Amino acid sequence: MFFAATPALQLAPPTNSVHMRAVPVTMQLRERASIGVAPVDAGRYGGVVPTKILSDTALLVQGGSLRTWSYRSPAVEQVQVILSTEGRPLDADVELWHGPDNTPCKMRVYVENGQLRPFRAVIETPRGPNTIAIRNIGQLEFPFAANVMAENVQHPSPECLSASMTIQGGALRTYPFDPSIDSVQVLLKTDGRPLNARIELLQGPNNNKQVIELYTEDGCDRPFFCILETPESGNVVRIVNTAPVEFPMTAAVVPDSINERMYSGAVIGGDVVLGGDVGF
Protein backbone atom coordinates (compact mmCIF):
# COMPACT_ATOMS: atom_id res chain seq x y z
CA MET A 1 0.00 0.00 0.00
CA PHE A 2 2.86 2.36 0.67
CA PHE A 3 4.32 1.89 -2.80
CA ALA A 4 0.94 2.34 -4.46
CA ALA A 5 0.44 5.71 -2.75
CA THR A 6 3.91 6.96 -3.70
CA PRO A 7 4.24 7.03 -7.50
CA ALA A 8 7.78 8.46 -7.31
CA LEU A 9 9.15 5.15 -6.01
CA GLN A 10 9.68 2.54 -8.69
CA LEU A 11 10.96 -0.97 -8.36
CA ALA A 12 14.06 -1.84 -10.39
CA PRO A 13 13.51 -4.35 -13.18
CA PRO A 14 14.40 -7.94 -12.29
CA THR A 15 17.98 -8.88 -13.04
CA ASN A 16 17.00 -12.33 -14.36
CA SER A 17 15.26 -10.94 -17.41
CA VAL A 18 15.56 -12.46 -20.88
CA HIS A 19 18.08 -9.80 -21.89
CA MET A 20 20.44 -10.73 -19.06
CA ARG A 21 20.20 -14.44 -19.88
CA ALA A 22 21.35 -13.76 -23.44
CA VAL A 23 24.77 -12.65 -22.22
CA PRO A 24 27.01 -15.75 -22.16
CA VAL A 25 29.64 -14.21 -19.92
CA THR A 26 28.98 -12.79 -16.48
CA MET A 27 31.73 -11.01 -14.66
CA GLN A 28 31.66 -11.24 -10.90
CA LEU A 29 33.57 -8.84 -8.70
CA ARG A 30 34.68 -10.10 -5.32
CA GLU A 31 34.01 -7.02 -3.19
CA ARG A 32 35.30 -8.66 -0.04
CA ALA A 33 38.76 -8.99 -1.55
CA SER A 34 38.77 -5.56 -3.19
CA ILE A 35 36.84 -3.11 -1.03
CA GLY A 36 36.67 0.33 -2.53
CA VAL A 37 38.09 -0.68 -5.94
CA ALA A 38 35.77 -0.03 -8.88
CA PRO A 39 36.32 -1.38 -12.40
CA VAL A 40 37.82 1.07 -14.83
CA ASP A 41 37.97 0.99 -18.59
CA ALA A 42 41.10 1.18 -20.69
CA GLY A 43 40.36 4.74 -21.73
CA ARG A 44 40.66 6.10 -18.20
CA TYR A 45 43.82 4.14 -17.53
CA GLY A 46 45.27 4.02 -21.02
CA GLY A 47 48.88 3.71 -19.86
CA VAL A 48 48.31 0.25 -18.35
CA VAL A 49 47.60 -1.77 -21.47
CA PRO A 50 49.98 -1.71 -24.45
CA THR A 51 48.39 -0.42 -27.64
CA LYS A 52 48.61 -3.71 -29.49
CA ILE A 53 46.40 -5.51 -26.95
CA LEU A 54 44.19 -2.58 -25.92
CA SER A 55 40.64 -3.64 -25.10
CA ASP A 56 37.60 -1.88 -23.71
CA THR A 57 36.91 -4.83 -21.40
CA ALA A 58 40.22 -4.61 -19.50
CA LEU A 59 39.90 -4.20 -15.74
CA LEU A 60 42.33 -2.61 -13.34
CA VAL A 61 43.28 -5.08 -10.59
CA GLN A 62 44.81 -3.38 -7.56
CA GLY A 63 47.42 -5.05 -5.38
CA GLY A 64 45.86 -7.66 -3.11
CA SER A 65 42.50 -7.75 -4.93
CA LEU A 66 40.71 -10.47 -6.86
CA ARG A 67 38.66 -10.47 -10.07
CA THR A 68 36.64 -13.36 -11.52
CA TRP A 69 35.21 -14.04 -14.97
CA SER A 70 32.45 -16.69 -15.08
CA TYR A 71 31.46 -18.56 -18.25
CA ARG A 72 28.24 -20.51 -17.84
CA SER A 73 27.87 -21.60 -21.46
CA PRO A 74 29.41 -25.02 -22.27
CA ALA A 75 30.18 -23.66 -25.76
CA VAL A 76 33.13 -21.71 -24.33
CA GLU A 77 35.93 -24.28 -24.47
CA GLN A 78 38.93 -21.95 -24.10
CA VAL A 79 39.67 -18.39 -23.08
CA GLN A 80 42.68 -16.12 -23.43
CA VAL A 81 44.09 -14.23 -20.45
CA ILE A 82 46.08 -11.02 -20.99
CA LEU A 83 47.83 -9.25 -18.13
CA SER A 84 49.86 -6.05 -18.52
CA THR A 85 51.09 -3.03 -16.60
CA GLU A 86 52.31 0.47 -17.39
CA GLY A 87 55.94 -0.65 -17.07
CA ARG A 88 56.01 -1.90 -13.50
CA PRO A 89 56.46 -5.52 -12.32
CA LEU A 90 53.54 -7.93 -12.47
CA ASP A 91 52.90 -10.64 -9.87
CA ALA A 92 49.66 -12.61 -10.14
CA ASP A 93 47.90 -15.89 -9.41
CA VAL A 94 45.67 -17.21 -12.22
CA GLU A 95 43.30 -20.09 -11.44
CA LEU A 96 40.57 -22.02 -13.24
CA TRP A 97 37.62 -22.94 -11.02
CA HIS A 98 35.42 -25.81 -12.19
CA GLY A 99 32.88 -26.68 -9.56
CA PRO A 100 33.18 -26.28 -5.79
CA ASP A 101 36.71 -26.75 -4.43
CA ASN A 102 37.99 -27.93 -7.83
CA THR A 103 40.95 -26.10 -9.38
CA PRO A 104 42.08 -28.11 -12.43
CA CYS A 105 44.53 -25.44 -13.59
CA LYS A 106 46.50 -22.77 -11.75
CA MET A 107 49.62 -20.75 -12.37
CA ARG A 108 51.85 -18.19 -10.69
CA VAL A 109 53.00 -15.43 -13.03
CA TYR A 110 55.86 -12.97 -12.58
CA VAL A 111 56.87 -10.40 -15.19
CA GLU A 112 59.61 -7.83 -14.69
CA ASN A 113 58.03 -5.30 -17.08
CA GLY A 114 54.36 -5.85 -17.85
CA GLN A 115 54.32 -3.33 -20.68
CA LEU A 116 57.34 -4.65 -22.56
CA ARG A 117 56.42 -8.30 -21.96
CA PRO A 118 52.67 -8.70 -21.32
CA PHE A 119 51.44 -12.10 -20.20
CA ARG A 120 49.33 -13.87 -22.80
CA ALA A 121 48.07 -17.42 -22.21
CA VAL A 122 45.21 -19.65 -23.36
CA ILE A 123 43.35 -21.67 -20.72
CA GLU A 124 41.19 -24.61 -21.72
CA THR A 125 37.68 -24.50 -20.21
CA PRO A 126 35.82 -27.63 -21.35
CA ARG A 127 32.55 -28.76 -19.83
CA GLY A 128 31.25 -25.47 -18.42
CA PRO A 129 30.46 -23.66 -16.27
CA ASN A 130 33.97 -22.39 -15.55
CA THR A 131 35.39 -19.38 -13.73
CA ILE A 132 38.72 -17.63 -14.29
CA ALA A 133 40.08 -16.08 -11.08
CA ILE A 134 42.93 -13.55 -11.24
CA ARG A 135 44.50 -12.25 -8.05
CA ASN A 136 47.10 -9.50 -7.83
CA ILE A 137 49.49 -10.75 -5.16
CA GLY A 138 51.76 -7.75 -5.54
CA GLN A 139 51.84 -4.58 -3.47
CA LEU A 140 49.17 -1.91 -3.71
CA GLU A 141 51.59 0.26 -5.70
CA PHE A 142 51.73 -2.33 -8.52
CA PRO A 143 48.29 -2.63 -10.21
CA PHE A 144 47.85 -4.37 -13.54
CA ALA A 145 45.23 -4.53 -16.26
CA ALA A 146 43.51 -7.90 -16.78
CA ASN A 147 41.47 -9.01 -19.73
CA VAL A 148 39.81 -12.39 -20.36
CA MET A 149 38.44 -13.07 -23.84
CA ALA A 150 36.42 -15.99 -25.18
CA GLU A 151 36.51 -14.78 -28.80
CA ASN A 152 39.42 -14.52 -31.23
CA VAL A 153 41.57 -16.78 -29.07
CA GLN A 154 45.06 -17.41 -30.42
CA HIS A 155 45.98 -20.98 -31.37
CA PRO A 156 49.29 -22.79 -31.87
CA SER A 157 50.66 -22.70 -35.38
CA PRO A 158 51.18 -25.93 -37.39
CA GLU A 159 54.93 -25.56 -36.80
CA CYS A 160 54.33 -25.45 -33.05
CA LEU A 161 52.12 -28.56 -33.12
CA SER A 162 54.74 -30.54 -35.03
CA ALA A 163 57.77 -29.44 -33.00
CA SER A 164 56.99 -31.22 -29.73
CA MET A 165 59.87 -32.77 -27.78
CA THR A 166 59.67 -34.94 -24.68
CA ILE A 167 60.95 -33.59 -21.35
CA GLN A 168 61.25 -36.21 -18.63
CA GLY A 169 60.34 -35.49 -15.05
CA GLY A 170 63.01 -33.39 -13.35
CA ALA A 171 64.71 -32.49 -16.64
CA LEU A 172 64.94 -29.15 -18.42
CA ARG A 173 65.43 -27.80 -21.92
CA THR A 174 66.62 -24.41 -23.13
CA TYR A 175 65.65 -22.69 -26.37
CA PRO A 176 67.85 -19.74 -27.43
CA PHE A 177 66.45 -17.30 -30.00
CA ASP A 178 67.89 -14.86 -32.51
CA PRO A 179 67.48 -11.11 -31.82
CA SER A 180 65.17 -10.90 -34.85
CA ILE A 181 62.51 -12.95 -33.01
CA ASP A 182 59.97 -10.64 -31.34
CA SER A 183 57.81 -13.35 -29.71
CA VAL A 184 57.68 -17.13 -29.34
CA GLN A 185 54.96 -19.74 -28.91
CA VAL A 186 55.10 -22.21 -26.03
CA LEU A 187 52.92 -25.34 -25.95
CA LEU A 188 53.03 -27.87 -23.10
CA LYS A 189 50.97 -31.04 -22.85
CA THR A 190 51.02 -34.62 -21.54
CA ASP A 191 49.36 -37.92 -22.42
CA GLY A 192 46.67 -37.42 -19.76
CA ARG A 193 48.83 -37.22 -16.65
CA PRO A 194 49.22 -34.11 -14.48
CA LEU A 195 51.42 -31.33 -15.79
CA ASN A 196 53.83 -29.48 -13.51
CA ALA A 197 56.24 -27.11 -15.19
CA ARG A 198 58.23 -23.92 -14.79
CA ILE A 199 58.63 -21.63 -17.81
CA GLU A 200 61.35 -18.97 -17.65
CA LEU A 201 62.30 -16.22 -20.07
CA LEU A 202 65.96 -15.35 -19.50
CA GLN A 203 67.98 -12.47 -20.88
CA GLY A 204 71.49 -12.95 -19.59
CA PRO A 205 72.83 -15.33 -16.93
CA ASN A 206 70.08 -16.07 -14.38
CA ASN A 207 68.25 -12.86 -15.30
CA ASN A 208 64.58 -13.81 -15.23
CA LYS A 209 62.39 -11.48 -17.24
CA GLN A 210 59.27 -13.66 -16.98
CA VAL A 211 58.47 -16.75 -14.91
CA ILE A 212 55.38 -19.00 -15.04
CA GLU A 213 54.89 -21.81 -12.52
CA LEU A 214 52.18 -24.05 -13.96
CA TYR A 215 49.98 -26.87 -12.70
CA THR A 216 47.38 -28.64 -14.83
CA GLU A 217 45.30 -31.57 -13.65
CA ASP A 218 45.24 -33.23 -17.09
CA GLY A 219 47.82 -32.13 -19.63
CA CYS A 220 45.95 -33.76 -22.50
CA ASP A 221 42.50 -32.38 -21.71
CA ARG A 222 43.90 -29.01 -20.62
CA PRO A 223 47.19 -28.29 -22.44
CA PHE A 224 48.94 -25.00 -21.81
CA PHE A 225 49.67 -22.50 -24.57
CA CYS A 226 51.17 -19.03 -24.22
CA ILE A 227 53.02 -16.40 -26.22
CA LEU A 228 56.15 -14.85 -24.73
CA GLU A 229 57.40 -11.48 -25.89
CA THR A 230 61.16 -11.59 -26.58
CA PRO A 231 62.32 -8.06 -27.42
CA GLU A 232 66.00 -7.16 -27.82
CA SER A 233 68.75 -9.79 -27.91
CA GLY A 234 69.99 -12.65 -25.74
CA ASN A 235 66.58 -14.23 -25.06
CA VAL A 236 66.48 -17.84 -23.89
CA VAL A 237 63.35 -19.82 -22.95
CA ARG A 238 63.98 -22.43 -20.27
CA ILE A 239 61.36 -25.10 -19.49
CA VAL A 240 61.69 -27.29 -16.42
CA ASN A 241 59.53 -30.35 -15.77
CA THR A 242 59.07 -30.04 -12.01
CA ALA A 243 57.08 -33.30 -11.77
CA PRO A 244 58.62 -36.68 -10.77
CA VAL A 245 60.25 -38.87 -13.40
CA GLU A 246 56.99 -40.82 -13.83
CA PHE A 247 55.29 -37.76 -15.36
CA PRO A 248 56.96 -36.76 -18.64
CA MET A 249 55.59 -34.00 -20.84
CA THR A 250 56.01 -32.71 -24.37
CA ALA A 251 57.09 -29.14 -25.09
CA ALA A 252 57.17 -27.08 -28.26
CA VAL A 253 58.82 -23.65 -28.46
CA VAL A 254 58.85 -21.96 -31.88
CA PRO A 255 59.03 -18.36 -33.14
CA ASP A 256 55.75 -16.51 -33.35
CA SER A 257 56.68 -13.17 -34.94
CA ILE A 258 59.86 -11.98 -36.64
CA ASN A 259 61.21 -8.47 -36.96
CA GLU A 260 61.52 -8.24 -40.73
CA ARG A 261 63.79 -5.15 -40.68
CA MET A 262 66.29 -6.78 -38.35
CA TYR A 263 66.04 -10.06 -40.22
CA SER A 264 66.84 -8.38 -43.55
CA GLY A 265 69.95 -6.72 -42.08
CA ALA A 266 68.59 -3.20 -41.65
CA VAL A 267 69.81 -1.40 -38.55
CA ILE A 268 67.94 1.45 -36.93
CA GLY A 269 70.08 4.53 -36.49
CA GLY A 270 72.75 3.89 -39.17
CA ASP A 271 75.16 1.28 -40.48
CA VAL A 272 77.24 -1.07 -38.38
CA VAL A 273 80.91 -0.08 -37.98
CA LEU A 274 83.29 -2.98 -37.48
CA GLY A 275 86.63 -2.48 -35.77
CA GLY A 276 85.66 0.13 -33.20
CA ASP A 277 87.23 3.55 -33.80
CA VAL A 278 89.68 2.35 -36.44
CA GLY A 279 89.76 4.74 -39.38
CA PHE A 280 88.19 7.69 -37.59
Side-chain angles (χ1 to χ4, degrees):
M1 295 300 294
F2 175 75
F3 289 101
T6 309
L9 296 177
Q10 298 181 358
L11 296 178
T15 57
N16 56 351
S17 60
V18 177
H19 175 71
M20 293 298 293
R21 292 198 198 101
V23 180
V25 180
T26 60
M27 190 164 51
Q28 302 172 353
L29 303 181
R30 296 301 182 93
E31 298 298 338
R32 291 183 301 175
S34 57
I35 299 176
V37 178
V40 297
D41 56 5
R44 293 178 55 190
Y45 204 76
V48 175
V49 187
T51 305
K52 56 185 175 181
I53 58 172
L54 186 62
S55 175
D56 294 336
T57 59
L59 284 180
L60 181 64
V61 183
Q62 298 285 355
S65 63
L66 171 70
R67 291 288 184 268
T68 60
W69 286 256
S70 295
Y71 295 85
R72 299 182 180 179
S73 173
V76 179
E77 296 185 348
Q78 54 185 194
V79 297
Q80 184 165 2
V81 178
I82 301 177
L83 307 179
S84 59
T85 69
E86 58 180 1
R88 299 180 180 181
L90 186 153
D91 205 354
D93 275 339
V94 182
E95 295 182 350
L96 172 65
W97 297 345
H98 187 195
D101 298 329
N102 183 21
T103 307
C105 179
K106 57 184 177 180
M107 63 191 77
R108 169 77 178 271
V109 180
Y110 166 77
V111 182
E112 184 186 61
N113 188 331
Q115 184 179 34
L116 189 62
R117 300 176 183 85
F119 171 75
R120 290 186 290 168
V122 177
I123 300 178
E124 301 291 331
T125 58
R127 300 176 300 278
N130 292 274
T131 298
I132 303 295
I134 300 177
R135 183 187 299 274
N136 187 344
I137 59 177
Q139 301 296 325
L140 185 63
E141 297 82 6
F142 300 102
F144 61 75
N147 190 15
V148 180
M149 303 177 297
E151 299 178 354
N152 301 322
V153 176
Q154 294 176 303
H155 297 87
S157 62
E159 293 79 10
C160 184
L161 296 174
S162 61
S164 297
M165 300 181 64
T166 302
I167 302 179
Q168 299 292 341
L172 64 87
R173 286 187 181 272
T174 58
Y175 303 83
F177 287 94
D178 191 79
S180 61
I181 306 299
D182 284 340
S183 62
V184 298
Q185 300 181 19
V186 178
L187 176 63
L188 304 181
K189 57 184 179 180
T190 66
D191 57 357
R193 303 177 188 182
L195 173 62
N196 289 272
R198 178 182 174 94
I199 305 171
E200 300 177 357
L201 175 61
L202 305 174
Q203 196 173 31
N206 295 324
N207 186 9
N208 289 325
K209 298 297 183 179
Q210 186 167 345
V211 180
I212 304 172
E213 295 181 356
L214 171 69
Y215 164 77
T216 300
E217 185 181 57
D218 188 335
C220 180
D221 193 26
R222 305 178 189 273
F224 176 75
F225 174 71
C226 71
I227 296 179
L228 302 178
E229 301 290 336
T230 57
E232 302 173 355
S233 61
N235 292 284
V236 176
V237 176
R238 179 167 63 187
I239 299 180
V240 183
N241 187 347
T242 56
V245 69
E246 296 86 3
F247 299 95
M249 70 177 183
T250 58
V253 182
V254 298
D256 178 65
S257 61
I258 300 176
N259 190 333
E260 297 294 342
R261 293 192 60 187
M262 184 177 294
Y263 186 76
S264 61
V267 179
I268 300 175
D271 297 331
V272 177
V273 178
L274 300 179
D277 57 353
V278 177
F280 283 85

